[in-house]
Amino acid sequence: MTVPRFAAPPEPEDPGGRSFLRLVSSRSVPAAPGDDDGGPGPLLVAALDDLPELPGETFVAALARETAAGARVLVYHGRRDDHRGVVLTAALVRPRGLAVMRGRAGHQRPLPALRGPLGAHENLLERTYGLQLAASSPRRAEDQLDPRDMWFWPAGKDQSPSDRDVGFGGLVDHGPLRLHCRGDQIRAVEVRALAGRDVEAVLCTRPLVQLPALVETLRGEGSIARAWAHAMAVEGLAGVTLDLACSVHRGVGLELERIAGHLVGLAAVARAIGFGAGAAELDRLQATIRDLLMRLCGSRHGHAHVRPGGVREPFGAARLADVRATLNGFRDAFARASAMMMGARSVQARLDGVGFLGGRDAAQLGLVGPAARASGLPHDLRRDLPGRLYRRHAVDVFVEYDGDCLARASLRVRETEAAVAWILGCVAEAAGAPPILVPSLAPRHLAIAAVEGARGPIVHLLETDAAGRLLDYRAQDPAMFAWEALAAAVRGGSLADVPLCGHSLDLSLLHGGAAC
């Protein structure tokens, strides 16, 4: 079942009216983010002196109350502060806009753990920032391993890696997943922590002018979304305001990136089930979109399309005509390719019911992006916190309720069609001057910017010191929520479904790319 375009939810009362939870915008006034500029929203900029720090336990208790009242945590971040412990920052999506909380956890006492939707954030706090959290809840019954229920005993040290890869010994490794199997059936799944890269620490040491090119290549897909989130945060800290036409220009690139990302996912799913004809046609269409990006900004992955202070190069009449002609031809070809794939009974039979994630499970795992919308959760920042861009040019948001691989593929098809329609409807307004020089950043300020990318929200958090230099940088990728979702989707299923479910959730099992 598909439901298009949600109306804005009613605005509830602020629970408790707590002064430490503040709504702020790029001008530090209590208004909805995005009212003052043409950005996609949300953008939050605040002076650190205006954000009192709560004690760790009080901070966690307030965060628990907010989530129980319906707020959704966008980012939950920690920063080491020498011997004084870890500074905690949480940004929450609420009906009134974006809110921020600050706290401080000491090294002496463990911080209470909330888990649930915050589990991925808390795991990162433990692994990266050395924060001690209270013992998590005991393992679920379905994760308990009974030796009598295993066909093979765990492998010994003498077993070769090639034997372990094919499942001898009852253990199979897929990226960060370790699968405990009985024959071909997955009995339990462990999600192992991979060695992380503290790339944000490197960003704080580089000149500001070098950061956009580095941010674009932090992880795989999503270069334009990451560059836009970075540009929004920097522009907010510098007090730069851009017009709506510049944001439309950026939005066209973002939606082209969304189309390409969905085509990659659909083609991977088609290959995983042996639907070679559909995969080949989707790959050809994806190349068409990548070639269009190359003509628009000089990169097939959208590098340099977005820069702080404006756009790399405004669209001229020839480029506008190129976008319209390419997308009009693409729309017809994609309609035929998607009908061929989604209308095939063999495809429907192979995808239906595989990798099921119900709405309750998706909410408990903190799932975001298309995977969440395919499980009935209407989470999309373009609708929840639209900013002036998406209020002027609204985007259709679709939701599926079956929560399986078929629902996720259907949602990708619908979002691709909606992205094409959105671009054709507003590309004529994609203008703007070349980038202006961004002035120095405001000292002792915090900026949080988020963009709804192809896989979910891309969130960038920047903090400056007393001299206006970057003190902290956090670049959050939606893949950090998807690994636990993949573990839940494949539990109890077949080993043959693991690659299919991985591609369905936009994860790469070949490289174990646990982007966080």
Side-chain angles (χ1 to χ4, degrees), residues 8 39 47 52 232 242 249-250 273 316 327 356 373 394 421 470 477 509:
M232 270 205 301
L242 303 178
H249 182 285
R250 293 175 172 182
I273 61 176
L327 289 185
F356 172 74
R373 294 191 286 274
L470 283 181
D477 190 88
L509 296 173

Side-chain angles (χ1 to χ4, degrees), residues 118-262:
L118 295 178
H121 296 284
E122 292 177 335
N123 291 339
L124 187 65
L125 289 174
E126 287 181 304
R127 186 171 70 249
T128 305
Y129 305 104
L131 191 64
Q132 295 184 13
L133 296 179
S136 58
S137 58
R139 296 174 67 182
R140 293 174 294 183
E142 60 266 28
D143 288 342
Q144 299 287 349
L145 293 179
D146 186 349
R148 297 171 297 180
D149 199 31
M150 294 185 66
W151 194 347
F152 304 108
W153 285 97
K157 295 182 180 179
D158 296 332
Q159 189 175 9
S160 66
S162 60
D163 290 339
R164 289 196 298 270
D165 290 341
V166 297
F168 289 101
L171 296 178
V172 180
D173 289 343
H174 277 287
L177 298 187
R178 169 156 288 188
L179 312 176
H180 299 256
C181 306
R182 181 182 181 185
D184 188 59
Q185 186 182 27
I186 301 171
R187 305 295 295 179
V189 185
E190 299 177 40
V191 182
R192 301 172 297 165
L194 297 181
R197 300 174 298 167
D198 195 5
V199 293
E200 289 88 350
V202 177
L203 295 177
C204 292
T205 65
R206 299 297 180 88
L208 194 63
V209 69
Q210 296 181 8
L211 295 188
L214 296 175
V215 166
E216 289 172 333
T217 58
L218 280 180
R219 295 175 179 95
E221 296 293 332
S223 298
I224 295 178
R226 284 194 297 271
W228 198 352
H230 168 80
M232 270 205 301
V234 169
E235 290 158 0
L237 289 172
V240 173
T241 301
L242 303 178
D243 58 11
L244 179 63
C246 179
S247 291
V248 174
H249 182 285
R250 293 175 172 182
V252 169
L254 178 66
E255 295 306 310
L256 288 174
E257 180 177 77
R258 190 185 314 279
I259 293 169
H262 284 342

Side-chain angles (χ1 to χ4, degrees), residues 106-453:
H107 294 300
Q108 296 79 14
R109 298 182 60 184
L111 197 67
L114 299 178
R115 303 302 180 188
L118 295 178
H121 296 284
E122 292 177 335
N123 291 339
L124 187 65
L125 289 174
E126 287 181 304
R127 186 171 70 249
T128 305
Y129 305 104
L131 191 64
Q132 295 184 13
L133 296 179
S136 58
S137 58
R139 296 174 67 182
R140 293 174 294 183
E142 60 266 28
D143 288 342
Q144 299 287 349
L145 293 179
D146 186 349
R148 297 171 297 180
D149 199 31
M150 294 185 66
W151 194 347
F152 304 108
W153 285 97
K157 295 182 180 179
D158 296 332
Q159 189 175 9
S160 66
S162 60
D163 290 339
R164 289 196 298 270
D165 290 341
V166 297
F168 289 101
L171 296 178
V172 180
D173 289 343
H174 277 287
L177 298 187
R178 169 156 288 188
L179 312 176
H180 299 256
C181 306
R182 181 182 181 185
D184 188 59
Q185 186 182 27
I186 301 171
R187 305 295 295 179
V189 185
E190 299 177 40
V191 182
R192 301 172 297 165
L194 297 181
R197 300 174 298 167
D198 195 5
V199 293
E200 289 88 350
V202 177
L203 295 177
C204 292
T205 65
R206 299 297 180 88
L208 194 63
V209 69
Q210 296 181 8
L211 295 188
L214 296 175
V215 166
E216 289 172 333
T217 58
L218 280 180
R219 295 175 179 95
E221 296 293 332
S223 298
I224 295 178
R226 284 194 297 271
W228 198 352
H230 168 80
M232 270 205 301
V234 169
E235 290 158 0
L237 289 172
V240 173
T241 301
L242 303 178
D243 58 11
L244 179 63
C246 179
S247 291
V248 174
H249 182 285
R250 293 175 172 182
V252 169
L254 178 66
E255 295 306 310
L256 288 174
E257 180 177 77
R258 190 185 314 279
I259 293 169
H262 284 342
L263 291 173
V264 169
L266 286 170
V269 168
R271 277 191 294 271
I273 61 176
F275 194 68
E281 179 62 14
L282 292 168
D283 283 337
R284 186 189 69 81
L285 293 175
Q286 190 242 149
T288 300
I289 299 299
R290 294 293 186 190
D291 290 343
L292 177 59
L293 277 172
M294 171 67 81
R295 296 193 295 272
L296 293 180
C297 61
S299 169
R300 300 183 79 248
H301 296 281
H303 296 172
H305 181 75
V306 177
R307 286 293 179 263
V311 299
R312 176 178 177 269
E313 187 176 349
F315 288 165
R319 290 187 176 183
L320 292 177
D322 186 13
V323 171
R324 291 193 183 97
T326 301
L327 289 185
N328 281 324
F330 169 87
R331 181 169 52 186
D332 296 337
F334 179 73
R336 293 190 296 269
S338 60
M340 176 181 65
M341 177 176 173
M342 303 307 296
R345 292 186 180 182
S346 59
V347 173
Q348 296 175 8
R350 183 66 183 89
L351 300 181
D352 189 17
V354 176
F356 172 74
L357 285 172
R360 181 177 300 178
D361 292 335
Q364 187 68 13
L365 292 167
L367 204 57
V368 295
R373 294 191 286 274
S375 296
L377 302 181
H379 298 333
D380 193 313
L381 294 179
R382 297 171 297 171
R383 178 191 65 90
D384 299 337
L385 299 174
R388 194 160 60 135
L389 171 61
Y390 291 116
R391 279 197 291 271
R392 173 72 177 271
H393 301 286
V395 63
D396 289 339
V397 176
F398 299 96
V399 174
E400 297 277 346
Y401 289 91
D402 291 337
D404 54 9
C405 289
L406 182 59
R408 291 188 279 272
S410 299
L411 190 75
R412 279 196 178 110
V413 170
R414 293 179 178 274
E415 289 195 353
T416 299
E417 295 169 345
V420 172
W422 189 89
I423 295 173
L424 292 175
C426 67
V427 69
E429 299 181 28
I436 62 174
L437 183 63
V438 176
S440 58
L441 306 184
R444 288 190 52 76
H445 269 66
L446 173 74
I448 300 175
V451 173
E452 186 73 29

